[in-house]
Amino acid sequence: MIIDAHIHCSGDEKVDDVLQALDGAAVDKAIVLAPFLTGNYMLGDGASLRGANQYLARLIANHTDRLIGFAVVNPSLGNASEDLRHAHDLGLSGLKMVPAGWYPYDDCAHRIYEAASVLKIPILFHSGIFIDGKSGRFCRPAFYEVIRDYPNLQVTLAHLGWPWADEANAVGLIDLINGVPPDKSQFRFDISFGAPPVYRLEVLRKAIAVLTPELLQFGSDVFLPCSGELIKSRINDVSELLERLDIDKRSRERIMGGTAAAWLGIS
């Protein structure tokens, strides 16, 4: 099974086109994120995020066997916890959070963690530098250690936290050191675009050695609408790196789908 655990909606896609793109890339299931970077959807506007979550719920409504909807909320805005509960009621089963103007350990973020913990909602966080030039100072991997205050939460840090990939490895290693089975670990890490090509092989080598494939998962980080060829090219990029690292078949399957399946509680 291939699960693409990091796909952005733009607000312009049609569900048939999304499914066709997944078919073209031979992707079985995908996490799709409510739009927040395109059109009139903005992180700083609570009303636009509510609209984005409603849009995503409509988009995936008849295809939740294959499309897994992740809401977006901004904890620094009023009513964010209520917005998360409403998005969950709409059928969105996960949450994407982007620290921008707030730190993961801020009080406002704790309120979201409390709600997500009660609802048993997994969270995908941006971590590391932003490629669009926004400040990444809010997104260092160590800042997410606060998640351990909420034992029921399981989260993924995107992009291996680059350029703080060693720090990300350290955060993820703690559960393994303490004998927590990988599927029960609070932290996973997606290997979507983060490190530039010159760094990627070594970053992935270290992550596999430290975190094991059990805590790593594939995400294309593409923006819809897009072609299946684009998603497939991201899969091929990862496959080439795994080939160069001489990673065995079982470990590849874990990275390309097994880790995300365990995180999401699906088979």
Side-chain angles (χ1 to χ4, degrees):
M1 178 189 298
I2 296 179
I3 298 176
D4 189 332
H6 193 152
I7 292 183
H8 290 269
C9 287
S10 66
D12 294 325
E13 51 279 300
K14 300 290 188 290
V15 69
D16 287 346
D17 295 331
V18 176
L19 296 173
Q20 185 175 357
L22 298 184
D23 288 342
V27 170
D28 298 286
K29 298 177 185 286
I31 291 174
V32 287
L33 314 176
F36 62 93
L37 293 170
T38 52
N40 295 320
Y41 300 114
M42 296 172 289
L43 277 176
D45 184 332
S48 82
L49 293 181
R50 287 189 287 274
N53 293 333
Q54 291 166 358
Y55 164 82
L56 179 60
R58 292 193 299 270
L59 183 76
I60 70 170
N62 296 316
H63 301 280
T64 53
D65 60 326
R66 194 169 184 194
L67 302 178
I68 302 147
F70 271 41
V72 177
V73 301
N74 181 342
S76 69
L77 303 177
N79 300 315
S81 296
E82 290 79 3
D83 290 344
L84 175 57
R85 294 185 187 96
H86 180 58
H88 183 260
D89 290 342
L90 291 174
L92 304 184
S93 55
L95 175 63
K96 171 68 184 278
M97 296 181 73
V98 182
W102 55 274
Y103 288 96
Y105 48 74
D106 284 346
D107 288 344
C108 64
H110 278 269
R111 291 191 284 273
I112 301 299
Y113 306 152
E114 290 170 0
S117 183
V118 169
L119 295 169
K120 295 182 171 56
I121 288 177
I123 304 175
L124 171 63
F125 285 103
H126 175 85
S127 67
I129 292 293
F130 292 97
I131 63 172
D132 60 5
K134 293 187 179 73
S135 176
R137 71 183 184 276
F138 303 102
C139 303
R140 290 195 64 152
F143 297 162
Y144 296 99
E145 290 180 315
V146 67
I147 291 298
R148 292 201 173 91
D149 292 344
Y150 302 87
N152 291 330
L153 275 185
Q154 290 192 332
V155 308
T156 291
L157 303 189
H159 319 302
L160 279 170
W162 194 86
W164 301 294
D166 289 343
E167 187 171 292
N169 289 343
V171 170
L173 180 61
I174 299 301
D175 283 346
L176 298 181
I177 286 176
N178 285 286
V180 177
D183 288 352
K184 300 295 185 182
S185 175
Q186 288 198 262
F187 287 92
R188 284 151 192 77
F189 302 83
D190 91 17
I191 57 174
S192 61
F193 176 80
V198 69
Y199 294 95
R200 289 200 76 192
L201 188 68
E202 189 59 24
V203 166
L204 188 56
R205 185 198 310 276
K206 289 180 177 179
I208 291 172
V210 174
L211 301 174
T212 80
E214 309 293 314
L215 295 185
L216 301 176
Q217 64 193 33
F218 170 74
S220 67
D221 199 16
V222 298
F223 278 75
L224 298 168
C226 73
S227 66
E229 288 79 7
L230 178 59
I231 299 174
K232 185 64 175 177
S233 72
R234 302 289 172 90
I235 294 172
N236 290 341
D237 288 344
V238 172
S239 296
E240 180 183 348
L241 291 170
L242 297 177
E243 179 73 24
R244 292 174 65 186
L245 292 171
D246 197 25
I247 303 302
D248 63 76
K249 180 182 178 184
R250 180 191 172 280
S251 295
R252 293 186 194 197
E253 290 174 347
R254 176 73 186 197
I255 292 169
M256 299 307 296
T259 298
W263 181 46
L264 298 168
I266 60 178
S267 57

